[in-house]
Amino acid sequence: AQSVAQPEDQVNVAEGNPLTVKCTYSVSGNPYLFWYVQYPNRGLQFLLKYITGDNLVKGSYGFEAEFNKSQTSFHLKKPSALVSDSALYFCALYNTDKLIFGTGTRLQVFP
Amino acid sequence: NAGVTQTPKFRILKIGQSMTLQCAQDMNHNYMYWYRQDPGMGLKLIYYSVGAGITDKGEVPNGYNVSRSTTEDFPLRLELAAPSQTSVYFCASSFLAGGNEQFFGPGTRLTVL
């Protein structure tokens, strides 16, 4: 069965430090993978996606993600975290006309 | 472009009441989706549509109905509301499926008492 997992409910990081939010997937065939961010009381916003090509994908707000086929992972990264990055982050996998979402990881960036 | 709009923003229902959550998009997107988000949980797909006149069930369709008579609108109907339907409901749209990102509305917070 196709699935996506986010193993951490919460990630805490100090402002200015690098951050990583983890995502692993299970799929038959080549995956289409997405990251979304949700700020309080808002809908989800698209950050970036991997379809094919370069394993390092750059997205909005300075975020990037690294696709690793051998480890079936698609971790979200940012070199220097900002307090304003504090939000809920969702990884998603495309599957026949729809997206399968992970359970989300809450990122807390401390000043 | 307004993007994806949802009404109402908030609603409190009594058990057994019915209501329709409205969703509209002005991006000429073919695909539209309804999700629910429970506290501490991810998004669960309720129904989706790949074009006007075509709808299909998602992961959690029981207790809901949809219709898609136009490209722009995709209302979600709750019949006989139950406390288990207390949730935040999001509508989303995309031009196509596959590698195209979904655009989300601001959500409707529904409480059933």
Side-chain angles (χ1 to χ4, degrees):
Chain A
Q2 313 209 71
S3 64
V4 63
Q6 294 181 244
E8 301 157 317
D9 289 336
Q10 180 153 332
V11 170
N12 299 317
V13 64
E15 189 173 33
N17 283 0
L19 69 88
T20 299
V21 182
K22 296 180 180 178
C23 173
T24 58
Y25 67 90
S26 174
V27 67
S28 54
N30 295 319
Y32 292 175
L33 293 157
F34 300 77
W35 276 103
Y36 287 81
V37 60
Q38 185 180 30
Y39 297 103
N41 302 312
R42 303 285 295 274
L44 276 68
Q45 296 177 33
F46 168 76
L47 276 179
L48 52 80
K49 64 183 177 183
Y50 172 83
I51 304 299
T52 187
D54 196 345
N55 289 343
L56 186 63
V57 179
K58 294 190 184 299
S60 306
Y61 312 123
F63 283 93
E64 56 191 27
E66 186 172 9
F67 173 70
N68 187 317
K69 189 170 184 177
S70 62
Q71 297 186 3
T72 61
S73 66
F74 187 55
H75 299 335
L76 182 70
K77 301 183 179 186
K78 188 173 183 182
S80 179
L82 299 172
V83 172
S84 58
D85 292 330
S86 298
L88 190 55
Y89 290 80
F90 289 97
C91 183
L93 171 70
Y94 169 73
N95 177 31
T96 315
D97 291 337
K98 47 194 180 291
L99 291 177
I100 301 170
F101 284 89
T103 51
T105 298
R106 186 164 300 281
L107 174 66
Q108 191 72 44
V109 181
F110 295 95
Chain B
N1 285 352
V4 180
T5 57
Q6 292 183 240
T7 55
K9 285 187 168 54
F10 305 94
R11 184 73 184 267
I12 298 175
L13 282 181
K14 294 182 179 179
I15 295 172
Q17 287 185 320
S18 300
M19 76 164 293
T20 299
L21 281 66
Q22 301 291 346
C23 174
Q25 52 90 11
D26 62 357
M27 297 173 282
N28 201 30
H29 284 172
N30 296 311
Y31 288 70
M32 295 188 75
Y33 308 83
W34 274 108
Y35 297 92
R36 58 177 288 172
Q37 184 180 30
D38 299 324
M41 305 290 286
L43 279 76
K44 294 186 186 297
L45 182 65
I46 305 171
Y47 271 96
Y48 68 103
S49 169
V50 302
I54 307 169
T55 62
D56 208 347
K57 295 178 181 179
E59 185 182 359
V60 289
N62 291 345
Y64 307 94
N65 276 301
V66 293
S67 59
R68 183 100 181 268
S69 57
T70 67
T71 298
E72 294 78 18
D73 300 298
F74 190 42
L76 177 72
R77 178 82 178 161
L78 277 73
E79 305 282 0
L80 299 174
S84 61
Q85 294 178 306
T86 294
S87 189
V88 181
Y89 291 84
F90 289 103
C91 179
S93 72
S94 65
F95 182 56
L96 292 172
N100 289 270
E101 59 268 31
Q102 294 183 13
F103 293 80
F104 282 78
T108 294
R109 186 175 296 274
L110 175 68
T111 302
V112 182
L113 299 175

